[in-house]
């Protein structure tokens, strides 16, 4: 799978017989990783018409004028999922004025505000500088997720899928995020039991079992409406949870409350893999979470994804810990780590393509199949190997400019010094 970059230096033979921005495209002679039941196709072609995949197979032909790319045997995959991030709502992590990911309305964290109506996607900026950095690394979309702010609650708020192609609005339905375990100890009365008590109470209120005029009520009218929607099973609720005991309680809670749920984190999920599989709950894990950062992760191990998948669990890949936003491009490396620890290569790719698309309701992305959006990546070699890079990325069959702020900075200082310092470089108005 892994191929030498030098071989591919001349492999991208682009015969520009049509407009470079056209949505008509033929990629010839590629190793096509479809992320479907067809698996990997050798020496195959991908034909794009009107921004959608029109055909996949050997020896395809295209009308005259269609842009043709000879992959020379290199891998082509769907554009990858960047994980659960703050891409577009966070520029510099250490500068609060550039971070819009959390709602903190309580004074010094003492007052807790329950606001499930908080929708982090409303702050999304498609022009954020971190987006091109991820985009040229083959990242096609990401799930924007809210985070806990001072005075917030264990209900973090809503997120949604956003595309990295400059689309300003999120796509698909909103997802509600709830945090459990020691990470929200202060927001749940310093007891895990309090977390379940609070969630039961808020769902009762959303379902009208607690009158909004009573002292026990704590939701706004908008919050009740949002929570009622998810309580009816009309949206996915993602729970951030790691400890096996908490996951067991979560499965019982979701069944009792008729919630449609997923798990993110799940460091000890492998311990309850059969129960998770039986409940048909998808789990998004960080394959490098093999050391216990706290007492919720004592059982963390690097073959977590492989054990879960072997039990029949739907497995996705995300980056945990600090800064998943600016390291979104590393999710493919994480998938490679999962493969190195027992996950099949096809499942590793699916964890970054088909699985997130299916779980988050993006049915027309995540695979290379007829009718799907032509969000594609041509790689210099195995995309799960960090030694390789994206050679070209297409959204809806359109090639993107493979530049970011980082590549511009690199090129500025590689160029010879001019009459003025490099800081006075003439901006590229065409960008």
């Amino acid at each position: 799978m892994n191929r030498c970059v030098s071989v591919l230096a001349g492999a991208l033979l682009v015969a520009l017989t049509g407009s470079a921005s056209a949505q008509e495209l033929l990629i010839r002679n590629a190793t096509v990783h479809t992320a479907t039941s067809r698996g990997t196709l050798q020496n195959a072609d991908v034909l794009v018409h009107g921004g959608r995949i029109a055909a996949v197979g050997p020896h395809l032909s295209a009308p005259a004028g269609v842009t043709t790319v000879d992959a020379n045997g290199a891998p082509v995959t769907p554009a990858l999922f960047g994980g659960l991030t703050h891409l577009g709502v966070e520029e510099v992590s250490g500068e609060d004025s550039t971070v819009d990911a959390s709602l903190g309305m309580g004074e010094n964290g003492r007052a807790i505000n329950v606001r499930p109506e908080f929708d982090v996607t409303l702050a999304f900026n498609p022009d954020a500088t971190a987006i091109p950095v991820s985009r040229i690394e083959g990242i096609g979309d990401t799930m924007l997720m809210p985070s806990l702010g001072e005075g917030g609650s264990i209900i973090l708020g809503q997120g949604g899928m956003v595309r990295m192609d400059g689309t300003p609005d999120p796509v698909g339905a909103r997802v509600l995020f709830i945090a459990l375990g020691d990470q929200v100890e202060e927001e749940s009365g310093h007891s895990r039991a309090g977390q379940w008590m609070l969630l039961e109470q808020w769902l009762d209120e959303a379902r009208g079992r607690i009158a909004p005029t009573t002292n026990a009520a704590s939701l706004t009218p908008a919050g009740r409406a949002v929570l009622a929607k998810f309580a009816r099973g009309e949206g996915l609720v993602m729970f951030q949870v790691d400890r096996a005991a908490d996951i067991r309680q979560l499965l019982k809670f979701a069944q009792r409350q008729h919630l449609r749920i997923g798990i993110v984190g799940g460091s000890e999920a492998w311990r309850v893999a059969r129960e998770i599989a039986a409940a048909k709950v998808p789990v998004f894990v960080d394959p490098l979470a093999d050391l216990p950062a706290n007492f919720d992760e004592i059982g963390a191990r690097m073959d977590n994804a492989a054990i879960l998948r072997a039990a029949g669990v739907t497995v996705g890949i995300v980056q945990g810990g600090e800064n998943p936003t600016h390291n979104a491009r590393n999710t493919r490396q994480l998938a490679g780590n999962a493969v190195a620890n027992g996950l099949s290569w096809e499942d590793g790719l699916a964890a970054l393509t088909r699985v997130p698309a299916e779980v988050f309701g993006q049915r027309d992305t995540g695979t290379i199949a007829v009718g799907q959006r032509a969000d594609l990546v041509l790689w210099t070699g195995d995309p799960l190997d960090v030694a390789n890079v994206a050679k070209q990325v297409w959204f809806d069959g359109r090639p993107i400019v493979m530049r970011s702020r980082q590549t511009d900075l690199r090129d500025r200082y590689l160029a010879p010094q001019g009459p003025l310092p490099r800081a006075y470089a003439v901006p590229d108005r065409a960008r």
Side-chain angles (χ1 to χ4, degrees):
M1 178 60 66
N2 199 351
R3 296 175 185 276
C4 178
V5 173
S6 62
V7 173
L8 285 170
L12 188 62
L13 303 177
V14 183
L16 290 173
T17 54
S19 169
S21 62
Q23 293 176 283
E24 316 302 309
L25 172 70
L26 177 61
I27 304 174
R28 288 195 179 280
N29 189 27
T31 300
V32 180
H33 298 292
T34 66
T36 71
S37 58
R38 296 182 70 182
T40 298
L41 308 176
Q42 302 291 339
N43 303 314
D45 305 338
V46 180
L47 178 64
V48 176
H49 174 66
R52 299 271 174 171
I53 296 172
V56 184
H59 312 303
L60 300 179
S61 59
V66 170
T67 299
T68 301
V69 174
D70 188 342
N72 201 24
V76 171
T77 70
L80 304 183
F81 175 62
L84 280 66
T85 73
H86 300 152
L87 275 167
V89 296
E90 174 183 310
E91 287 281 7
V92 180
S93 305
E95 173 50 51
D96 289 346
S97 64
T98 71
V99 181
D100 297 303
S102 62
L103 179 69
M105 298 182 65
E107 183 179 356
N108 299 321
R110 296 182 182 279
I112 296 174
N113 287 275
V114 191
R115 304 300 291 267
E117 66 270 37
F118 175 63
D119 182 353
V120 73
T121 67
L122 297 177
F124 177 63
N125 175 17
D127 300 319
T129 57
I131 288 179
V133 175
S134 298
R135 183 164 56 205
I136 65 173
E137 296 277 356
I139 302 300
D141 53 33
T142 186
M143 169 56 73
L144 275 189
M145 64 172 293
S147 60
L148 180 66
E150 282 190 353
S153 76
I154 63 176
I155 297 181
L156 306 178
Q158 301 169 84
M161 288 286 278
V162 293
R163 288 167 57 80
M164 299 289 99
D165 64 346
T167 302
D169 299 316
V171 293
R174 298 294 184 274
V175 174
L176 184 68
F177 286 87
I178 296 177
L180 299 174
D182 75 341
Q183 60 184 318
V184 287
E185 180 192 28
E186 292 186 359
E187 289 75 21
S188 52
H190 299 279
S191 169
R192 293 166 198 274
Q195 297 170 9
W196 303 115
M197 180 194 73
L198 291 170
L199 286 175
E200 296 270 5
Q201 175 186 329
W202 293 328
L203 285 170
D204 279 348
E205 185 178 344
R207 288 175 169 133
R209 296 168 185 159
I210 297 176
T213 54
T214 66
N215 291 334
S218 54
L219 298 171
T220 66
R224 279 194 295 277
V226 168
L227 200 54
K229 181 187 74 171
F230 288 96
R232 292 191 298 267
E234 296 176 3
L236 180 69
V237 185
M238 291 295 290
F239 283 84
Q240 292 181 317
V241 59
D242 286 297
R243 196 165 78 172
D246 294 338
I247 295 173
R248 287 193 190 95
Q249 290 297 335
L250 172 60
L251 298 178
K252 295 175 185 175
F253 176 80
Q255 183 180 33
R256 187 166 64 251
Q257 295 286 350
H258 307 291
L259 298 178
R260 188 159 63 87
I261 70 166
I263 291 174
V264 58
S267 294
E268 294 190 347
W270 63 273
R271 286 181 165 166
V272 285
R274 291 183 179 178
E275 293 97 317
I276 295 172
K280 301 185 185 309
V281 172
V283 181
F284 286 77
V285 302
D286 179 351
L288 282 184
D290 66 327
L291 294 174
N294 53 57
F295 281 92
D296 283 10
E297 304 175 18
I298 290 177
R301 51 191 290 175
M302 292 190 75
D303 55 358
N304 189 13
I307 295 173
L308 288 168
R309 191 71 196 102
V313 176
T314 298
V315 174
I317 299 293
V318 295
Q319 186 165 192
E322 297 182 356
N323 222 344
T325 299
H326 295 282
N327 292 321
R329 53 188 170 178
N330 292 340
T331 52
R332 63 189 181 93
Q333 179 185 355
L334 298 178
N337 288 112
V339 170
N341 287 276
L343 190 68
S344 75
W345 194 95
E346 295 292 346
D347 281 334
L349 179 67
L352 294 179
T353 52
R354 187 186 71 248
V355 166
E358 290 177 348
V359 170
F360 298 124
Q362 307 306 306
R363 298 289 181 177
D364 62 350
T365 61
T367 62
I368 298 179
V370 173
Q372 293 288 85
R373 299 180 76 143
D375 295 352
L376 303 167
V377 186
L378 175 64
W379 301 92
T380 59
D382 182 351
L384 303 190
D385 183 344
V386 70
N388 298 307
V389 298
K391 191 74 173 176
Q392 181 61 59
V393 178
W394 293 269
F395 285 101
D396 296 325
R398 292 189 176 94
I400 70 164
V401 177
M402 299 294 284
R403 289 172 54 183
S404 72
R405 190 174 184 177
Q406 293 182 352
T407 63
D408 287 350
L409 188 63
R410 175 203 63 194
D411 294 343
R412 173 185 294 185
Y413 284 90
L414 282 176
Q417 176 77 50
L420 293 173
R422 288 186 172 92
Y424 293 87
V426 177
D428 183 354
R429 303 294 185 190
R431 292 188 64 197

